[in-house]
Amino acid sequence: MSPAVAAATDVAVSRLDARAYEVPLDTPESDGTAEWASTVMIVVEARAGDETGVGYTYGSRACRPLVEELLAPAVVGRDALAVAAAWEAMVEACRNAGAVGVASMAIAAVDLALWDLKARLLGLPLATLLDPARGAVPVYGSGGFTSMTDAELERQLGAWVEMGIPRVKMKVGREPADDPRRVAVARSAIGPDIELMADANGALSRKAALAFAEDVLAPAGAVWFEEPVSSDDLEGLRLIRDRLPAGIDLAAGEYGFAAVDFERLLDAGAVDCLQADVTRCRGITGFLRVAAVCDAHGIELSAHCAPTAHVHPCCAAPRLRHLEYFHDHVRAEALLLDGPAEPHGGCLRPDLSRPGAGYDLRRADAEQYEIR
Ligand SMILES: [Mg+2]
């Protein structure tokens, strides 16, 4: 047994702390169905022995008291090397509060912190501990908000292409009359060879979505149509999927929390590519179970947002297509984290030179954003 492993055995989680941070945007943003002016990140630190693991989620500030009230009592005192046992205890502790939504995101932040902690205790990069299927994770640039001017849209998408990212996603569906022009602007900004993706965030009706795909997305050579209708409308997603022009994949799944949410999407034949978010679907433990469900259905998985948190688990997920390099989260992670994800050649690579998930909270820099 190596000294690191020998020292790490029999180490209990001694404390769990949650903090909330709110990073204001330069200008308010919108998509097909929401408007926002800031990014809220809930950061959890899990301590065992001399090591601290860090995890986070983007969600309601209600995640923080939930960690304190329900999750910390379920996790503190447990074996820091048995993350699955802590995960089961957290899900059980949230039974009466409802283990989906906010609770699922709070569990995700703790689970990410526990996996980081375990890897640090064992002196291993997290990707190595999780057993990597790949050493690099392809990304797509994501933003293209409906609140942007054409010039801003052009600049943002063009910048990702200049960085070497070969695929970009834009928001659609807020003002459908503007979208043909916006999609044309996007295509001309990225040139003919870059993959163009569109996300309506559930803004459209079934008929409007199909007409948009045929009249606008297909002529622009788009390859991805995300949440054309609400993700709750499984029949609608399936119908649109079956009628989409060739070459356009239908995607959804970002609001999945429990494994059964993803199983329902797949069982309904609702998607060509399933999305899942490690910071929403109960962390790495939940994400890898979703990946297994995807694998069983022969459907590819695309990771949603929070790029830094996804790098190591995405290395271990079967059938991974790509990871969303989302503008707001890239910005928040650069401000709040040491070791934020930075793509090279269109991919993110895990930092194998340090133990854990490769990032830390920049506590002093983050202080100005803390919600107390
Ligand atoms: Mg989306």
Side-chain angles (χ1 to χ4, degrees):
M1 195 180 276
S2 77
V5 174
T9 51
D10 209 23
V11 176
V13 178
S14 57
R15 57 179 302 156
L16 213 56
D17 294 296
R19 292 181 180 79
Y21 301 95
E22 183 165 20
V23 178
L25 301 175
D26 295 330
T27 49
E29 293 169 354
S30 65
D31 60 25
T33 47
E35 295 172 65
W36 61 96
S38 66
T39 305
V40 174
M41 185 196 253
I42 317 298
V43 180
V44 169
E45 290 180 304
R47 184 110 184 132
D50 295 330
E51 295 291 349
T52 302
V54 184
Y56 64 91
T57 186
Y58 293 102
S60 163
R61 57 183 76 184
C63 290
R64 182 179 56 179
L66 201 136
V67 170
E68 291 161 355
E69 181 195 337
L70 296 176
L71 305 187
V75 167
V76 171
R78 285 185 174 274
D79 182 354
L81 299 184
V83 181
W87 188 89
E88 301 285 353
M90 288 194 286
V91 174
E92 200 172 303
C94 291
R95 190 197 72 177
N96 288 352
V100 294
V102 170
S104 182
M105 296 165 87
I107 291 170
V110 177
D111 180 88
L112 281 155
L114 291 175
W115 273 109
D116 181 38
L117 175 63
K118 178 173 176 176
R120 291 180 197 235
L121 286 167
L122 296 174
L124 289 172
L126 179 58
T128 305
L129 175 63
L130 295 172
D131 199 9
R134 64 191 62 76
V137 179
V139 296
Y140 66 88
S142 171
F145 304 110
T146 56
S147 46
M148 288 174 151
T149 64
D150 288 355
E152 288 167 340
L153 179 64
E154 213 167 47
R155 251 199 315 277
Q156 187 188 57
L157 303 189
W160 284 319
V161 175
E162 266 172 43
M163 283 169 70
I165 299 177
R167 52 192 84 80
V168 301
K169 189 171 86 185
M170 64 184 295
K171 301 292 193 183
V172 296
R174 175 158 290 269
E175 296 290 347
D178 291 342
D179 283 337
R181 188 196 76 249
R182 295 179 62 251
V183 169
V185 166
R187 176 48 85 195
S188 101
I190 62 177
D193 301 326
I194 299 296
E195 289 186 9
L196 179 62
M197 305 159 70
D199 182 0
N201 289 91
L204 302 175
S205 69
R206 296 176 184 186
K207 285 188 169 66
L210 279 170
F212 179 64
E214 231 160 82
D215 299 344
V216 180
L217 292 183
V223 297
W224 175 279
F225 197 6
E226 182 173 324
E227 290 197 307
V229 294
S230 163
S231 283
D232 294 335
D233 181 9
L234 298 182
E235 281 178 17
L237 291 174
R238 171 65 192 259
L239 179 139
I240 294 165
R241 178 194 180 199
D242 286 347
R243 295 184 186 188
L244 276 180
I248 304 181
D249 276 352
L250 192 142
E254 67 182 80
Y255 301 113
F257 298 110
V260 68
D261 300 334
F262 300 93
E263 173 60 19
R264 282 190 191 119
L265 277 164
L266 294 173
D267 205 35
V271 297
D272 293 298
C273 183
L274 186 75
Q275 294 177 280
D277 186 328
V278 76
T279 73
R280 289 181 178 170
C281 69
R282 302 177 180 167
I284 291 170
T285 306
F287 183 78
L288 292 179
R289 293 180 188 194
V290 172
V293 174
C294 256
D295 191 36
H297 282 264
I299 291 281
E300 284 186 327
L301 176 67
S302 177
H304 172 265
C305 293
T308 303
H310 271 110
V311 179
H312 288 248
C314 278
C315 287
R319 292 187 195 267
L320 184 91
R321 184 182 293 192
H322 43 41
L323 160 59
E324 182 168 5
Y325 188 70
F326 179 57
H327 170 78
D328 292 9
H329 294 178
V330 169
R331 183 170 175 271
E333 288 167 20
L335 290 169
L336 299 174
L337 302 179
D338 160 43
E342 286 171 24
H344 297 282
C347 288
L348 290 171
R349 288 174 177 78
D351 182 355
L352 300 177
S353 70
R354 59 195 271 189
Y359 61 87
D360 270 302
L361 176 64
R362 282 163 53 189
R363 180 102 45 106
D365 296 324
E367 215 161 272
Q368 60 181 305
Y369 302 110
E370 187 164 357
I371 308 166
R372 294 181 195 277

